[in-house]
Amino acid sequence: MKNAWEYLIASLINSEKDELAINTIFSIIQTKDVPEKYRALYQVIQEVWGNYGVIEPLTIFDTIREKYPYESFQNTLIKQCNTFWNLVVTNAFWKHYLSLVIVDIKKTKLKQIGTKVNQIKNVNETIKAIKQEIDNIETRYRPDKTKDISEICSEYMKNIEDILNGKNIKALKTGLKFENCFHGYHPGDYFIFAARPKMGKTALILNVAVSLLQQGKSVMFISNEMDETAIMNRIVSIISGVSLSTIYDGMFTDSELKSITKAIDEIEKMKLHLYCLKFQNVGQIRTEAKSINLTGNLDMIIIDYLQLFQATDYNRRKSRYDEVSAISWETKMLANELKVPVIAVSQLNRELEKRMNKRPMPSDLRDSGSLEQDASAVVFIYRDEIYNQESKYKGLGEINVAINRNGTTGTDYYQFILENMRIINHTVT
């Protein structure tokens, strides 16, 4: 009985110049995925497509003869190709055969994962590793859903109608003025919030998170800089109004203790998914985020901060620049795949410290991977009083939307009340 692999390769041989079919198959099925008895022919077909831009028997036979000098093996491959050539009339059912082949690949890989269960040392860590491997398999071997232009236009008009009818509720806002530049946080958007240390990056992202949580939204907050207690102290300070130093000292008045208790009661009811010092790479974040989505929609992911993570395949990266670029791209793809806005904090290059004007510029991102190119918007945070003790802007910070692919740019001043981690719009008087 013929199997799905033979029908898929037969469809390839009959594809001629069908770019959608050919490129989709080659992008999903790697040579190592192909059973050994079909692997050589699959490689030949790949070479023929790359060299000639068309798949047909004559160039396949010529490539076989050039690639394999042994006549007996040449004859075996040519016979195999002839058999497949006559197996199907057209490549019309390539998607069906591809889906069957993907099932076969997944079964093989799941069996390989199953052998690891017999080598368990740490149950929890093994289960997490297996979950991530399964998630990677699902992500890797999934044909991209293609849409024709009529479907795209239909979805676009539906979005326009929702806006006109006041139903465009997908964009998230906290009330901070700079969000108006990009009209709120939209599903699939990837935002970079960048600054040097002590500028208030963590305060800003926690204010965004708390505001959304108070609106009943579900927020995944990932920190590789602070533990759960440090993050909780800051959230409690924002909500209760009790200063962060008082919370750390533990010297509360009765009213402060009452405010803290009330804040904790509020936090317990929030849809906050807090992960501190848990994840090493974006692949692990993706696995956990998908798990959250199984029990309820996830509205926002916040990552603090990018340079504290590794690229999923970091061992193969040539430099830290390449690695940060890979981390940034994975984060962008995470936002797109899960259809949630992602805010990622970035540390800026210390070279800006050498300038007279230390306000961040897009060029300060360029030694930190391809963040500038990947992001939907880049937001810089700056507090003049950090560098200038006589600054007339004490207590104020600048938030600058410096790059924005979906709107305007601009800078506004905000009150940075960092004793209780609050950032609020500044009204000019």
Side-chain angles (χ1 to χ4, degrees):
M1 179 181 177
K2 305 296 182 185
N3 63 36
W5 280 104
E6 295 180 5
Y7 280 95
L8 182 66
I9 296 173
S11 294
L12 268 176
I13 294 172
N14 283 273
S15 290
E16 297 183 355
K17 293 185 177 181
D18 188 342
E19 293 186 8
L20 175 61
I22 297 166
N23 290 333
T24 301
I25 292 169
F26 286 155
S27 68
I28 295 174
I29 308 301
Q30 298 177 354
T31 303
K32 64 183 180 181
D33 298 322
V34 181
E36 190 172 354
K37 61 181 176 179
Y38 309 125
R39 195 172 295 163
L41 182 58
Y42 188 79
Q43 285 179 306
V44 167
I45 296 170
Q46 282 182 310
E47 288 187 25
V48 167
W49 175 246
N51 292 334
Y52 301 100
V54 62
I55 297 175
E56 50 83 28
L58 181 61
T59 46
I60 291 176
F61 296 156
D62 285 345
T63 304
I64 288 172
R65 294 188 184 100
E66 291 174 8
K67 190 176 178 66
Y68 299 102
Y70 298 105
E71 188 175 345
S72 60
F73 193 61
Q74 285 181 12
N75 292 335
T76 299
L77 287 185
I78 290 171
K79 182 180 179 181
Q80 191 179 61
C81 183
N82 279 325
T83 300
F84 292 166
W85 172 254
N86 295 310
L87 194 57
V88 299
V89 177
T90 72
N91 74 330
F93 297 102
W94 68 270
K95 287 184 180 179
H96 173 63
Y97 301 138
L98 177 60
S99 65
L100 295 177
V101 162
I102 288 173
V103 170
D104 183 68
I105 293 173
K106 288 180 179 179
K107 285 180 179 178
T108 300
K109 291 192 174 292
L110 288 173
K111 286 179 182 177
Q112 294 169 354
I113 291 174
T115 61
K116 296 181 180 180
V117 175
N118 298 323
Q119 306 167 7
I120 289 179
K121 294 181 181 178
N122 183 308
V123 175
N124 290 333
E125 291 301 318
T126 301
I127 290 173
K128 285 183 181 179
I130 289 173
K131 279 176 63 181
Q132 185 177 348
E133 287 192 47
I134 292 173
D135 180 63
N136 290 341
I137 291 170
E138 287 296 324
T139 301
R140 173 70 184 80
Y141 298 100
R142 183 186 63 207
D144 292 332
K145 184 179 183 292
T146 57
K147 299 177 182 178
D148 59 33
I149 190 63
S150 62
E151 186 178 358
I152 293 171
C153 287
S154 177
E155 291 181 1
Y156 182 81
M157 283 306 301
K158 175 64 167 60
N159 186 54
I160 294 293
E161 289 174 6
D162 286 344
I163 293 172
L164 292 173
N165 296 325
K167 296 179 181 178
N168 186 30
I169 57 175
K170 291 182 179 179
L172 305 176
K173 290 186 176 182
T174 70
L176 291 169
K177 289 185 294 184
F178 71 89
E179 296 167 345
N180 293 328
C181 288
F182 40 79
H183 312 291
Y185 307 97
H186 292 80
D189 280 346
Y190 168 42
F191 299 89
I192 296 290
F193 284 14
R196 289 294 295 152
K198 299 181 181 179
M199 290 294 163
K201 300 187 297 294
T202 301
L204 179 57
I205 57 174
L206 282 173
N207 272 261
V208 171
V210 168
S211 178
L212 295 177
L213 290 164
Q214 289 176 326
Q215 295 174 42
K217 304 301 182 182
S218 173
V219 177
M220 183 180 189
F221 192 99
I222 302 118
S223 174
N224 265 12
E225 188 174 33
M226 301 181 188
D227 62 19
E228 287 88 348
T229 300
I231 295 296
M232 281 295 294
N233 283 341
R234 284 158 174 76
I235 294 175
V236 168
S237 181
I238 291 170
I239 295 174
S240 68
V242 178
S243 73
L244 190 60
S245 59
T246 299
I247 290 174
Y248 273 107
D249 291 341
M251 304 295 290
F252 311 122
T253 64
D254 289 343
S255 63
E256 287 172 337
L257 183 58
K258 185 177 179 180
S259 296
I260 289 171
T261 303
K262 185 178 178 181
I264 293 171
D265 288 341
E266 183 180 342
I267 294 167
E268 280 187 321
K269 297 172 185 175
M270 289 177 170
K271 299 175 184 176
L272 172 62
H273 308 275
L274 179 60
Y275 302 89
C276 297
L277 309 173
K278 298 287 186 185
F279 302 128
Q280 294 181 335
N281 57 57
V282 178
Q284 293 170 339
I285 295 173
R286 180 190 295 109
T287 300
E288 189 65 25
K290 285 189 171 183
S291 177
I292 294 170
N293 265 337
L294 291 176
T295 57
N297 291 332
L298 188 58
D299 296 301
M300 170 75 83
I301 297 175
I302 299 175
I303 301 173
D304 187 17
Y305 58 87
L306 281 183
Q307 285 84 355
L308 291 177
F309 290 82
Q310 298 170 339
T312 301
D313 57 348
Y314 72 97
N315 286 325
R316 295 194 291 275
R317 297 291 161 191
K318 295 181 180 179
S319 68
R320 182 57 179 163
Y321 176 93
D322 291 331
E323 184 175 2
V324 175
S325 295
I327 296 167
S328 176
W329 181 253
E330 288 182 74
T331 306
K332 181 183 180 74
M333 291 299 100
L334 173 69
N336 181 66
E337 180 184 348
L338 298 182
K339 298 301 180 213
V340 297
V342 174
I343 295 175
V345 175
S346 175
Q347 194 81 275
L348 283 176
N349 194 307
R350 62 169 58 93
E351 288 297 309
L352 73 79
E353 307 281 353
K354 299 176 182 178
R355 297 197 304 259
M356 288 294 294
N357 184 350
K358 295 176 173 56
R359 286 174 174 82
M361 300 185 298
S363 58
D364 297 319
L365 284 169
R366 287 176 190 156
D367 289 334
S368 301
S370 57
L371 309 186
E372 183 181 352
Q373 294 91 333
D374 294 339
S376 305
V378 175
V379 178
F380 291 130
I381 305 105
Y382 174 78
R383 293 167 58 217
D384 192 60
E385 64 185 292
I386 297 297
Y387 297 108
N388 180 9
Q389 291 185 353
E390 305 302 321
S391 174
K392 63 180 180 180
Y393 300 109
K394 284 192 175 181
L396 297 180
E398 299 173 24
I399 297 180
N400 173 20
V401 179
I403 298 172
N404 185 12
R405 308 199 188 284
N406 300 312
T408 60
T409 58
T411 303
D412 272 309
Y413 285 96
Y414 299 81
Q415 292 182 48
F416 277 55
I417 312 171
L418 296 185
E419 62 182 10
N420 57 18
M421 300 299 291
R422 289 182 176 176
I423 296 176
I424 59 178
N425 295 325
H426 176 62
T427 303
V428 179
T429 56

